[in-house]
Amino acid sequence: MSTSQYQQLWTRFDTVGLNRYNITTDDLRCIERYIHILQSGLNETVWDEAVQSGGPYGASILIHEIVEIRTLQRAGIDPYRYTQKELARVLADHLSAHVAAIYEEHLYLQDVLLRQYGCYFEVATLVKANRADDTDLNYLLESSIGVFLLEQDRAEEAKAYLEQLRQGGV
Amino acid sequence: MTRIRKLQRRGGDGTWHSDAYAVETHNGQITLRYSLAWEYLGGRYNQMIQEQRLSLEQLEQVLAGDSLRWLPVETLEMDDEDAIQSLDRECHVPRPATVLITLKAHIVRGRLQLIAPLASPIRVQGDHIYLGDGRQLQIALASDPMPELQPG
């Protein structure tokens, strides 16, 4: 993809979110490369979903990836020099990078839902609603990032709002 | 004994490796466990497997492709937990260290006071609770309804 195509792509996401996390067109290129290492061989990738969704939901996926990449880089790791297998091991050894990414992704979604629909959900509730299983929720709840409240009885409501956001994306 | 089935992916360098596997636990449920390389897509496949009640032998129905291959079902001579622990290590599935922070709660003159241990990542200051990086925490308290007292 050329620089101008990345620039065009950049405008399809929620620019408030991208600016808040200083995500540039160069970062888009880095995220695509990172996902390509991690998920080549799969029939679908989170990069494809981010691009298809666009808007705030697509931005939330990009925020997850850039936070993960930057956290690894701050730990002295260059994620682009690894093979898929090696990167899976590196990520397992640096779970905090993934947890930080989950947290920031859903902190951003929390803000978007509040701005767009006037609805406030706890971060853990949004993780529960936004994932098909509880793997990421457990990583978050068991992390040392903080103490999280899970509104179990509001997860379905949050899921409906997130779906609306995903559909209405661009 | 635990039945499992490893999933292999062909990386960009052309080599095959396992970074996910399905395990049949003692209650008969199939669970896909996956490395962080799968991101949230792993959870989606896990949900499909469970919703469609697929057996280990039927997993190609939800996950197949030129760069994916399921190895034959294996029966391991170990219980679920030991098998999961061993395969998690092999497939780079992280196992988070549980962080448990116990707060002491007191009611003093009608006010709830929470006290965090000094080594914890949270700080209590006056009526406010903070994380080590300065973010403020909001804590909601919930309790089960009081059981009804039996007469007599």
Side-chain angles (χ1 to χ4, degrees), chain A residues 34-35 37-46 49-50 57 61 64-65 68 83-85 88-89 91-92 94-95 98 103-105 107 120 122 130-133 135-136 138-139 141-147 149 159 166, chain B residues 9-13 15-19 32-48 62-68 91-99 101 121-122 131 133 135 137-140:
Chain A
Y34 178 70
I35 296 301
I37 298 172
L38 286 176
Q39 300 191 332
S40 64
L42 297 184
N43 299 332
E44 52 184 346
T45 70
V46 299
E49 291 205 351
Y57 194 83
I61 297 173
H64 178 109
E65 302 309 331
E68 194 165 281
T83 64
Q84 188 174 87
K85 181 183 177 184
R89 177 185 52 77
L91 282 170
H94 294 83
L95 180 58
H98 184 65
Y103 178 69
E104 294 295 342
E105 173 190 356
L107 201 59
Y120 178 87
E122 295 289 341
N130 198 30
R131 296 290 192 257
D133 71 4
T135 303
D136 275 354
N138 289 333
Y139 288 143
L141 293 178
E142 295 182 6
S143 73
S144 57
I145 277 195
V147 180
L149 298 179
K159 190 180 275 190
R166 204 167 67 83
Chain B
R9 276 206 288 156
R10 187 163 49 197
D13 57 356
T15 59
W16 290 91
H17 65 277
S18 301
D19 72 345
L32 181 73
R33 294 184 63 83
Y34 47 90
S35 80
L36 296 179
W38 287 74
E39 302 267 11
Y40 58 81
L41 300 177
R44 196 176 291 169
Y45 290 116
N46 200 12
Q47 186 184 39
M48 283 187 221
V62 291
L63 258 171
D66 293 341
S67 298
L68 288 173
C91 298
H92 305 304
V93 181
R95 297 172 70 86
T98 299
V99 176
I101 303 168
I122 64 175
L131 284 179
D133 63 5
R135 276 175 292 170
L137 291 180
Q138 290 184 328
I139 292 190

Side-chain angles (χ1 to χ4, degrees), chain A residues 145-165:
Chain A
I145 277 195
V147 180
F148 294 97
L149 298 179
L150 173 63
E151 305 148 299
Q152 193 84 41
D153 55 342
R154 297 188 69 209
E156 283 304 314
E157 185 192 351
K159 190 180 275 190
Y161 279 112
L162 289 172
E163 185 56 27
Q164 212 170 316
L165 204 60

